[in-house]
Amino acid sequence: MRVGGGAVQELGDVIAEIGARRPLVVTDPFMQKSGTVEVALRALRKSGFETALFAETVPDPTTDSLAGGLEAVRQHEADILIGFGGGSSIDTAKALGLLSKQGGEMRQFKAPKRNTGPSLPVVAVPTTAGSGSEATQFSIISDSETNEKMLCAGPAFLPVAAVVDYELTLSMPARLSADTGVDALTHAIEAYVSRRANAFSDGFALAAITAIGKNLREVYKDGSNREAREAMMLAATQAGIAFSNSSVALVHGMSRPLGAHFHIAHGLANAMLFPAVTEFSIRGAQTRYADCGRALGVASPEDDDAAAAQALVAELHALNQDLDVPTPQSWGIDPDDWQRLTPLMAEQALASGSPANNPLVPDTAEIQALYAKIYA
């Protein structure tokens, strides 16, 4: 990992150290049109690499969206992929790395299958402080035929290197700053309360929670605050390391279907669910949730666990209000569509495996009730 302001200038050194010669940069159309990706391309060309660009990734990447990328890998004879952008670009690069080596369809690699490779190496360069995908062994790809948002996991999806440069986030708009920041907070809290939490992941999770509590509202209010941007970028990576070594839980299990069926941005879907799911889950791990409330700065060491856990729920509600998070209803989702799709979304949430990591494991009826509760 290369971390810090201006670290993207070291991208060529990273590729050379790995021993690759033909990098393909995987990004989205906005990164190309805005010129942001040029900073990476210049660093690579300066180091003498034969570099190509695939700039057709889409938000919440689908199996159909991978076809053009696979062709770009073949045409360039790429020996390494650089995922440049948000989680969608990095997840796309990870998927292309696996498919270009193994072939087949992405649905063959979804959870619970654990994928060990082979795969083309991926270097991740995040431009948002949220997904943590630069530090995880996961890729999220939607099945174009079924709209299922598939969790694909295993060491084959872990980048070989990451360049974490907070200066790439300075131009993020307020809405994106909020949504990605809540995504990172969800990663950290779910990693800490997960049934698979451990001493290694705990340290990263708590550090991320503390940093996000101090800085998320600030980057939403003033995106030019470099100190807050740097803190959020580091926290997003720490949260990624945390949940890659423990796992996410019910919020993520329920948010993926919202993205697949209603095309709600992943972090925003998490934010819609976060307070209600946390309130539901507290009795399964009250002490752990209390620790999160203290780390977030909304409870003191003197508060008992019950009070600290409830302070966490209250803060998540307040955070949604301060970040102008809409409900599914106010976002524009038709109530009939919501009600009609709720049983399917509940089934898909459970099938993803993430709810099984929750402190309180729900059944289908309880997930449907939570979807009903957050709608309005």
Side-chain angles (χ1 to χ4, degrees), residues 340-364:
R340 174 176 56 83
L341 284 166
T342 288
L344 175 59
M345 293 195 299
E347 289 175 13
Q348 291 177 337
L350 276 177
S352 74
S354 297
N357 302 318
N358 207 56
L360 192 63
V361 179
D363 58 26
T364 307

Side-chain angles (χ1 to χ4, degrees), residues 10 40 51 77 81 100 111 169 174-176 202 237 258-259 286 297 320:
E10 301 175 38
T51 305
E77 298 180 351
L81 304 176
S100 63
T169 70
R175 179 75 266 148
L176 185 59
D202 283 354
T237 300
L258 298 188
Q286 182 174 263
N320 276 7

Side-chain angles (χ1 to χ4, degrees), residues 63 66-67 70-71 73-74 94-110 113 115 117-120 152 156-157:
T63 49
L66 300 176
L70 285 170
E71 182 58 29
V73 173
R74 283 192 290 267
K94 292 177 177 184
L96 295 177
L98 184 82
L99 292 175
S100 63
K101 281 289 191 181
Q102 297 196 36
E105 300 290 335
M106 203 66 202
R107 64 179 66 92
Q108 297 170 225
F109 303 101
K110 71 177 183 178
K113 181 177 172 62
N115 300 283
S119 178
L120 274 181
C152 305
F157 296 111

Side-chain angles (χ1 to χ4, degrees), residues 155-314:
F157 296 111
L158 185 68
V160 297
V163 176
V164 183
D165 184 346
Y166 76 89
E167 291 181 352
L168 296 173
T169 70
L170 290 171
S171 60
M172 283 170 60
R175 179 75 266 148
L176 185 59
S177 298
D179 294 348
T180 54
V182 172
D183 191 22
L185 182 61
T186 312
H187 292 156
I189 290 179
E190 290 207 306
Y192 190 76
V193 302
S194 165
R195 287 169 175 258
R196 297 172 63 188
N198 54 78
F200 178 79
S201 60
D202 283 354
F204 286 101
L206 291 173
I209 292 167
T210 297
I212 294 167
K214 292 176 180 176
N215 294 284
L216 178 50
R217 286 181 175 86
E218 183 58 36
V219 295
Y220 182 64
K221 181 176 68 178
D222 177 13
S224 65
N225 185 322
R226 297 174 71 89
E227 185 176 334
R229 286 291 196 194
E230 183 173 22
M232 287 298 297
M233 192 67 153
L234 293 174
T237 300
Q238 289 172 322
I241 294 171
F243 87 82
S244 191
N245 286 280
S246 58
S247 69
V248 286
L250 181 55
V251 175
H252 274 74
M254 291 181 66
S255 74
R256 293 188 198 106
L258 298 188
H261 295 285
F262 298 109
H263 307 294
I264 303 173
H266 175 64
L268 183 58
N270 281 347
M272 290 175 174
L273 290 156
F274 208 2
V277 171
T278 300
E279 190 169 22
F280 166 82
S281 305
I282 276 177
R283 58 193 170 95
Q286 182 174 263
T287 298
R288 287 246 145 191
Y289 281 108
D291 289 343
C292 293
R294 297 183 186 104
L296 200 57
V298 296
S300 71
E302 291 75 33
D303 291 324
D304 63 28
D305 286 350
Q310 287 304 317
L312 172 65
V313 174

